[in-house]
Amino acid sequence: MALSPFESYKYRMTSPYGQRVLNGKTETHNGVDLVGTGSTAVCSVCDGIVVQSRIVTDKTNLTWQWGNYVAVQGVDGAVIYYCHLASRAVKAGEKVKAGQRLGIMG
């Protein structure tokens, strides 16, 4: 079975990568938004190290819409961001395994 960012392996895409209209404004969405439908537990899709675990509330920060987020750098060097979390279960510097819970979907 392929790895899933949700404990239940059940989710749906709410916003794909690419051009989208949000609040009447066309912009490029540089990620993929997924919503868990069988579980709210968000899990790492790879082994790696947590490079960020924080909340952004300052609207002058370009990432403020991410809110609570965790970023995991995989063994291949790619960084995967898990955004819009209600809570975070890991801290920066922690090693994580694929399938490990990172937080709860917001």
Side-chain angles (χ1 to χ4, degrees):
M1 183 181 293
L3 290 177
S4 168
F6 293 97
E7 238 172 37
S8 69
Y9 283 79
K10 296 178 183 176
Y11 57 89
R12 65 183 170 83
M13 184 183 320
T14 57
S15 186
Y17 177 87
Q19 293 294 308
R20 69 177 181 179
V21 177
L22 185 63
N23 299 320
K25 181 180 172 188
T26 300
E27 58 184 22
T28 299
H29 185 229
N30 292 315
V32 175
D33 289 350
L34 305 173
V35 173
T37 58
S39 170
T40 59
V42 176
C43 300
S44 182
V45 297
C46 63
D47 293 349
I49 296 180
V50 177
V51 292
Q52 288 283 334
S53 179
R54 62 186 291 217
I55 186 169
V56 179
T57 57
D58 177 1
K59 290 190 178 185
T60 64
N61 185 313
L62 295 176
T63 62
W64 75 269
Q65 293 174 327
W66 297 359
N68 255 325
Y69 77 93
V70 171
V72 175
Q73 184 171 26
V75 294
D76 64 356
V79 178
I80 300 170
Y81 293 85
Y82 304 84
C83 304
H84 314 299
L85 301 174
S87 63
R88 294 168 282 123
V90 293
K91 294 180 179 165
E94 285 185 43
K95 289 183 181 181
V96 295
K97 293 284 188 187
Q100 181 175 334
R101 186 181 289 198
L102 302 175
I104 301 296
M105 180 175 67

